[in-house]
Amino acid sequence: QYPDMFGHGEAVHQVGGTAWSIQDPVEAECARFAGDLPERADGWQLVLQIDSDIEVGMEWGDVGRLYVCARKEDVAAGRFDRCWTVMQCY
């Protein structure tokens, strides 16, 4: 479940957990870009989410978010060099 702060218009930065996708699920996007079959999207997980935060000078597209995801086995093995980053915006 998402924290209340999301509904109050605050930036949502996070490490791990469930991505707050603006458009399609980011895990599915990363799987597709990495050449995995669509049914392998559940093998991906969020590593880092960086929201637009105007107060500190970060704006991704039209007030969007950056998502860094990796395959679960890569995260478990500490292979963060295999992460994929996608941006979604409104």
Side-chain angles (χ1 to χ4, degrees), residues 7 10-11 26-27 30 33 43-44 48-49 55 63-64 68-69 86:
E10 296 181 29
V26 295
E27 299 85 357
C30 286
F33 291 135
W44 286 75
L48 176 66
Q49 176 177 297
E55 291 183 23
V63 194
V68 179
C69 297
V86 297

Side-chain angles (χ1 to χ4, degrees), residues 1-89:
Q1 190 176 79
Y2 299 124
D4 276 345
M5 71 177 189
F6 184 76
H8 299 289
E10 296 181 29
V12 181
H13 311 292
Q14 68 182 43
V15 176
T18 302
W20 296 36
S21 300
I22 295 173
Q23 299 166 356
D24 295 328
V26 295
E27 299 85 357
E29 282 193 47
C30 286
R32 182 172 44 108
F33 291 135
D36 286 352
L37 297 172
E39 55 270 14
R40 293 224 1 137
D42 63 347
W44 286 75
Q45 71 180 64
L46 179 72
V47 174
L48 176 66
Q49 176 177 297
I50 306 170
D51 204 343
S52 287
D53 194 335
I54 307 304
E55 291 183 23
V56 297
M58 296 186 305
E59 184 174 4
W60 318 115
D62 187 15
V63 194
R65 293 188 188 109
L66 297 179
Y67 306 90
V68 179
C69 297
R71 291 178 182 95
K72 291 178 181 178
E73 64 263 17
D74 289 334
V75 173
R79 293 188 302 244
F80 295 102
D81 59 318
R82 298 184 180 188
C83 289
W84 286 78
T85 303
V86 297
M87 180 188 77
Q88 294 182 349
C89 58

